[in-house]
Amino acid sequence: MARIVLELRPLSFIIENVPGIKAGEVWQLDEAIKRLKKVYRLSEPDTLFAPDFGVPQTRKRVFVLGIRRDLGLTPEHPEPSHCLLYTSPSPRDRQKS
C-alpha cells in the first residue's frame, strides 16, 4: 500500500479501501501508515458513507488522506455535502458501525 506512494512521492494522495481494512488483518493498514508518516502528514482512517457526498452508491469506504510534510499542510476529511433524508442515523453515527 505504501510502496508506490513512497517511490513516486506525490504532493498528496488518498488511500481508499473497504471498512474491513480496519478490522481483521489491520496490520497491513497500520504498517502502511507507519511507513508513510515518515514523509507525509496523514488523516486518521475515517469511514465515509458515499451518499453523504453525492455518490450514487450506498456503501461505506475507509479513507486516509496524506500531504507531504514539506508543504506544511494538514489533511482533513470533508464534511458531508449530501445528507439524505432516508438515511438514518446521522452520518457520523453510521461511520461508527
Side-chain angles (χ1 to χ4, degrees):
M1 206 178 302
R3 182 182 59 85
I4 298 292
V5 173
L6 293 172
E7 284 180 16
L8 297 177
R9 297 183 65 98
L11 297 176
S12 62
F13 66 88
I14 297 173
I15 294 175
E16 177 261 343
N17 213 312
V18 297
I21 193 73
K22 292 179 13 179
E25 294 197 28
V26 71
W27 65 268
Q28 293 173 332
L29 180 60
D30 290 343
E31 182 63 27
I33 288 172
K34 179 180 170 184
R35 292 178 62 200
L36 290 166
K37 278 187 174 180
K38 296 174 184 175
V39 180
Y40 292 89
R41 287 190 177 145
L42 304 178
S43 67
E44 290 297 318
D46 198 5
T47 303
L48 304 177
F49 187 55
D52 290 342
F53 299 91
V55 178
Q57 299 175 355
T58 54
R59 64 180 183 164
K60 296 178 185 178
R61 303 299 279 181
V62 172
F63 290 89
V64 177
L65 311 176
I67 299 177
R68 226 172 48 201
R69 288 186 173 277
D70 62 321
L71 299 177
L73 302 171
T74 302
E76 295 180 14
H77 291 281
E79 289 297 319
S81 58
H82 295 71
C83 291
L84 303 175
L85 295 176
Y86 71 84
T87 58
S88 180
S90 73
R92 293 291 178 201
D93 290 343
R94 280 196 305 275
Q95 293 173 9
K96 296 174 185 173
S97 59

